[in-house]
Amino acid sequence: MKLADKTCVDFAEVLASKEPVPGGGGAAALVGAIGTALGSMVCNLTIGKKKYAQYEEEVKGILEEAGEIQKELLKMIDDDAENFLPLSKAYGMKKDTEEERKLKEETLEKALKQACEVPVSIVKKSYEAIKLHENLVNKCSKLAISDVGVGVQCLRAAIISAQLNVIININSIKDENYVSRVKEETEKLVKDGTEIADKVYEEVVKALSK
Amino acid sequence: MKLADKTCVDFAEVLASKEPVPGGGGAAALVGAIGTALGSMVCNLTIGKKKYAQYEEEVKGILEEAGEIQKELLKMIDDDAENFLPLSKAYGMKKDTEEERKLKEETLEKALKQACEVPVSIVKKSYEAIKLHENLVNKCSKLAISDVGVGVQCLRAAIISAQLNVIININSIKDENYVSRVKEETEKLVKDGTEIADKVYEEVVKALSK
């Protein structure tokens, strides 16, 4: 059974357990999907309202993109679990002989890179979803403005959480080229994404305090 | 069917729709439950490890408290939906005559207060769960340290998101005593909770950069 097809209650329960999956990566993907869904909700509550007719086409475009990202992030819950299991196994490998030590090291290096993949993708998708919220915040129904704030807060948590899962893996990877490429791919997105999320949140707070 | 018993995929789908529930409040409760579950996972990965035997009793205590909070936050997904529906109905009431106007105003005031209740509780429970992570961060298996970071990031999103749902409701409440009481109850928890979450996250990043 797929993790994404578990009920919310059961997902939380297995997350809380010592089972190897889901872990922080799967949690980040789900929280990112929830944040993205809130953006879609705000689009759906805006579309069809006369007051926002001038933004209608753009909001429809945001809704379509958010729907795609939500689907991808939900899929990443299980992709991350699948990619983590080889690492979980590799940690358990014997290293009594020189040969075993070498095999374990090689298997670990490969498994660590594999475990990095999905968290890197979660960083990218969360960044895209944060940008959609940035675009949406001034074009949406003011009745739903608080949900834009909730959306970016969830996505902020998702992008930072995914990055933590990148870091814990690359810390053990020996291939320096790989490590610097992954850092380059993610660090700027996380920095910019967090800043944009904070800016959008401040706009929401300002709108709510009027 | 309870919202918390929906699959993760279906929850995200109905959240993204224009259905009145779940909204930002339910999302905050779920994200808070996920953050709390990560704390429990870290406890479960620490208990039984010789290296952390000196903290074993305390970590078991954290696990027990976190389990309670997780259960309560998951329940709040549906409590929030139930408490929001009267407000959703009240907005649709007629106000053609003076009598209707008065009835709508009174019904709205009551419904707004009811809609505030669960977000206030989410603020409180998220704060408690953040404090548990603060207690856990220096007593847990270093192999799971990144998950403490993911846990507090989710809880940070949950507490701020719940507060947004408090604000959007109290903005329309006329009873000034009620408004100032709710503000008093939540503002300090959100400020302190966010600061503690940021501090715990920084400790995680420091531990990961060693």
Side-chain angles (χ1 to χ4, degrees):
Chain A
M1 187 200 195
K2 283 187 182 173
L3 293 169
D5 289 331
K6 284 190 181 293
T7 68
C8 298
V9 170
D10 289 346
F11 184 88
E13 193 178 311
V14 65
L15 182 63
S17 76
K18 59 194 297 181
E19 289 295 315
V21 293
L30 178 53
V31 172
I34 292 168
T36 309
L38 283 157
S40 291
M41 181 179 90
V42 176
C43 292
N44 278 318
L45 293 171
T46 302
I47 292 166
K49 294 269 158 68
K50 272 187 199 161
K51 203 171 162 186
Y52 306 98
Q54 56 175 320
Y55 306 123
E56 178 120 348
E57 282 317 304
E58 211 171 337
V59 172
K60 280 182 180 169
I62 295 172
L63 177 63
E64 201 179 314
E65 281 187 65
E68 281 306 312
I69 296 172
Q70 178 182 321
K71 220 183 289 172
E72 287 164 325
L73 283 167
L74 287 168
K75 187 174 174 299
M76 287 178 199
I77 299 172
D78 287 276
D79 290 349
D80 187 63
E82 209 174 292
N83 276 7
F84 180 75
L85 287 177
L87 180 60
S88 180
K89 276 184 197 159
Y91 278 126
M93 283 169 75
K94 280 200 234 171
K95 48 174 185 176
D96 297 334
T97 67
E98 183 54 39
E99 208 173 308
E100 280 174 358
R101 247 190 302 277
K102 207 176 157 237
L103 182 63
K104 180 169 184 171
E105 198 177 288
E106 283 169 10
T107 312
L108 266 177
E109 177 84 356
K110 216 177 130 192
L112 283 162
K113 287 181 181 176
Q114 194 182 341
C116 254
E117 273 176 34
V118 176
V120 169
S121 299
I122 299 172
V123 166
K124 290 178 182 172
K125 288 296 151 189
S126 301
Y127 178 80
E128 286 176 27
I130 290 169
K131 291 290 286 181
L132 290 182
H133 280 75
E134 182 188 28
N135 194 3
L136 182 61
V137 67
N138 294 311
K139 294 168 189 131
C140 67
S141 166
K142 289 298 159 277
L143 293 173
I145 193 78
S146 68
D147 295 309
V148 178
V150 178
V152 287
Q153 286 295 342
C154 292
L155 287 161
R156 183 189 193 278
I159 199 167
I160 293 177
S161 297
Q163 179 73 345
L164 284 174
N165 281 278
V166 170
I167 293 171
I168 200 161
N169 287 311
I170 60 176
N171 272 353
S172 305
I173 292 176
K174 295 196 169 64
D175 178 349
E176 284 177 23
N177 286 333
Y178 180 89
V179 170
S180 60
R181 183 171 63 72
V182 166
K183 278 192 181 174
E184 209 179 311
E185 262 183 33
T186 54
E187 279 177 357
K188 195 165 158 35
L189 290 182
V190 177
K191 188 177 169 289
D192 292 353
T194 309
E195 282 173 13
I196 298 168
D198 286 339
K199 188 195 73 179
V200 174
Y201 170 71
E202 286 308 326
E203 286 179 52
V204 168
V205 170
K206 223 165 107 183
L208 284 172
S209 65
K210 267 174 197 163
Chain B
M1 187 199 194
K2 282 186 181 174
L3 293 169
D5 289 331
K6 284 189 180 295
T7 68
C8 298
V9 170
D10 288 347
F11 184 87
E13 193 179 309
V14 64
L15 182 62
S17 76
K18 61 194 296 182
E19 288 295 314
V21 293
L30 177 54
V31 171
I34 292 168
T36 309
L38 282 157
S40 291
M41 181 179 90
V42 176
C43 292
N44 279 318
L45 293 171
T46 301
I47 292 166
K49 295 268 157 67
K50 272 187 200 161
K51 204 173 163 187
Y52 307 98
Q54 57 175 318
Y55 306 123
E56 179 120 348
E57 283 316 304
E58 209 171 337
V59 172
K60 279 182 180 168
I62 295 172
L63 176 63
E64 201 180 314
E65 281 187 65
E68 280 306 312
I69 296 172
Q70 178 184 320
K71 218 183 292 172
E72 287 164 325
L73 283 167
L74 287 168
K75 187 174 174 298
M76 288 178 199
I77 299 172
D78 287 276
D79 290 349
D80 188 64
E82 208 174 292
N83 275 7
F84 180 74
L85 287 177
L87 180 60
S88 180
K89 275 184 198 160
Y91 279 127
M93 284 169 74
K94 279 199 233 171
K95 50 174 183 174
D96 297 333
T97 66
E98 184 53 38
E99 207 173 309
E100 281 173 357
R101 245 191 302 276
K102 207 175 157 236
L103 180 65
K104 179 168 184 171
E105 197 177 291
E106 283 169 10
T107 312
L108 266 176
E109 178 84 356
K110 216 177 129 192
L112 284 161
K113 288 180 181 177
Q114 194 181 341
C116 253
E117 274 176 34
V118 177
V120 168
S121 299
I122 299 171
V123 166
K124 291 178 182 173
K125 289 295 152 190
S126 301
Y127 177 81
E128 286 177 26
I130 290 169
K131 290 291 286 180
L132 290 181
H133 281 74
E134 182 188 28
N135 194 4
L136 182 61
V137 68
N138 293 312
K139 295 168 187 131
C140 67
S141 167
K142 289 300 159 275
L143 292 172
I145 193 78
S146 67
D147 295 310
V148 179
V150 178
V152 287
Q153 286 296 342
C154 292
L155 287 161
R156 183 189 193 279
I159 200 168
I160 293 177
S161 296
Q163 179 73 343
L164 285 174
N165 281 277
V166 170
I167 293 170
I168 201 164
N169 286 311
I170 59 176
N171 272 353
S172 304
I173 292 177
K174 295 196 169 65
D175 178 348
E176 284 176 23
N177 286 332
Y178 180 89
V179 169
S180 60
R181 183 171 64 71
V182 166
K183 278 192 180 175
E184 210 179 311
E185 262 183 34
T186 55
E187 280 176 357
K188 195 166 159 32
L189 291 181
V190 176
K191 187 176 170 290
D192 292 353
T194 309
E195 281 173 15
I196 298 168
D198 287 339
K199 188 195 72 180
V200 174
Y201 169 72
E202 285 309 326
E203 287 180 51
V204 168
V205 169
K206 223 165 109 183
L208 284 173
S209 65
K210 269 175 194 162

